[in-house]
Amino acid sequence: MRLVFIPLDAPEPPALPAQLRLLQLSGSSMGCSWQVQFYLPASQPQQQAAFWQNGIQQELDLVVQQMSHWEAGSDLSRFNQAAAGSVCTLAPEFCYVMDYAIYLARQTEGAYDPAAGKLVNLWGFGPAENRHQPARRPSKAAIAGVLAQPGWRDLQLNRLRRELLQPGSLSLDLSSIAKGFAVDQVAGFLERHAIPSYLVEVGGELRGYGIKPDQMPWWVRIETPPASAAYPTQTNWDGLVALHGLAIATSGSYRQFFEQDGRQYSHTLDPRSGYPVDNSLISVTVLHKECMIADALATAFTVMGEQAALDYANSHQIVCCLMSRSASGLQVQLSRTMQAMLDT
């Protein structure tokens, strides 16, 4: 069965100029690759490719400079190192991301947690660990010690003044939202320059707009876990999404993990318990107009588990696809809003 998802409220795609040229650019940022495809008038000189390449890279570099927990000199790293009681003034972009991150933490009661940096480091998935040492399961006492420290409930953000209080020993980690925001930043750059049709991808998160000269939208396929003995894949699943005015983000517990004593530990941590997620979900895909929101929700849903994620998605009209393991193989569930987008 072929499943096609089309946005219900997408605006009419803008008319395309008669003569267009496809520009395809790529690079690296945030430890991953990026690719951007877009159409621009053929009359524009070829040497303008450098302008677009540099402009896109600058947008991505801005996100790294503000929100990377891997860069010691980033704004986020400076906040993590600030003394207790310090008030840090955030750049507008950083403040915008933090505002939503705190909101989602409250909405999900900590299933999404922007203040889980120390927990991530403890499990060996963060920059504080020796990168040449394999991740290892920490002791129960070490986990309890981290959970006892200040967390997302202690974050105080003054949106008007863009001031964030460091309560002391709190470590931000925005890796599950900053990449999506970076996609939005690049999309905004293209739209400010009146690009009528584009597809932006950063580390697997995508956002598209407009149609191509063949009058087709930017089609992308919903990511499916690779078939294996543990996760046999349904052969009738073929989900395609038209990314006109939409972004898509996927979180998968099968992507990164380590093994210890015969057990797999996912890189996705449940910040409420302090341990890696342990539920039936193996892949979550979320669609939203903002890639930042899709990125964060995909992580939150992975932590929440199948039923809680589906309940939240339905009550908040979130477009999502949940893939879980069962005795019969890979099972796919769609939120009600996504079911309404279905065109078979």
Side-chain angles (χ1 to χ4, degrees), residues 84-312:
S86 300
V87 175
C88 299
T89 301
L90 308 183
E93 298 84 1
F94 193 177
C95 184
Y96 180 76
V97 172
M98 279 305 306
D99 188 30
Y100 180 74
I102 295 171
Y103 162 81
L104 189 59
R106 291 171 179 163
Q107 283 279 302
T108 61
E109 298 182 344
Y112 180 80
D113 187 354
K118 288 197 172 182
L119 186 65
V120 172
N121 289 339
L122 182 66
W123 279 89
F125 296 122
E129 288 292 312
N130 186 331
R131 301 182 191 183
H132 301 290
Q133 295 294 324
R136 300 287 295 176
R137 183 183 62 209
S139 67
K140 292 183 179 179
I143 294 172
V146 168
L147 294 181
Q149 296 182 25
W152 65 267
R153 292 181 178 85
D154 302 292
L155 286 170
Q156 298 181 35
L157 175 66
N158 185 319
R159 288 179 292 177
L160 294 178
R161 300 175 64 90
R162 303 201 312 272
E163 293 178 343
L164 184 64
L165 174 69
Q166 168 59 274
S169 299
L170 187 146
S171 183
L172 296 175
D173 183 342
L174 300 180
S175 56
S176 59
I177 192 172
K179 188 166 60 174
F181 179 74
V183 171
D184 293 332
Q185 284 291 102
V186 174
F189 169 74
L190 296 175
E191 291 179 7
R192 288 195 301 273
H193 289 85
I195 295 299
S197 179
Y198 64 77
L199 181 67
V200 176
E201 183 264 332
V202 179
E205 322 293 26
L206 301 103
R207 177 167 160 172
Y209 180 72
I211 57 175
K212 295 179 283 186
D214 61 3
Q215 302 303 303
M216 295 297 290
W218 297 96
W219 290 105
V220 300
R221 192 174 305 279
I222 293 177
E223 183 177 337
T224 302
S228 67
Y231 309 126
T233 302
Q234 293 181 191
T235 57
N236 64 344
W237 170 256
D238 189 13
L240 293 175
V241 176
L243 289 189
H244 170 50
L246 274 181
I248 185 169
T250 297
S251 174
S253 60
Y254 61 89
R255 287 176 167 177
Q256 295 181 19
F257 57 86
F258 69 89
E259 294 186 9
Q260 183 175 337
D261 301 328
R263 180 178 176 181
Q264 286 188 357
Y265 293 91
S266 168
H267 80 292
T268 302
L269 303 175
D270 184 341
R272 302 166 300 182
S273 68
Y275 288 84
V277 294
D278 186 16
N279 55 50
S280 62
L281 281 177
I282 56 175
S283 181
V284 175
T285 296
V286 176
L287 285 85
H288 197 278
K289 293 179 180 179
E290 290 187 63
C291 197
M292 175 193 76
I293 293 177
D295 194 9
L297 282 173
T299 299
F301 288 173
T302 300
V303 173
M304 292 165 69
E306 186 175 9
Q307 192 57 54
L310 195 60
D311 290 345
Y312 185 99

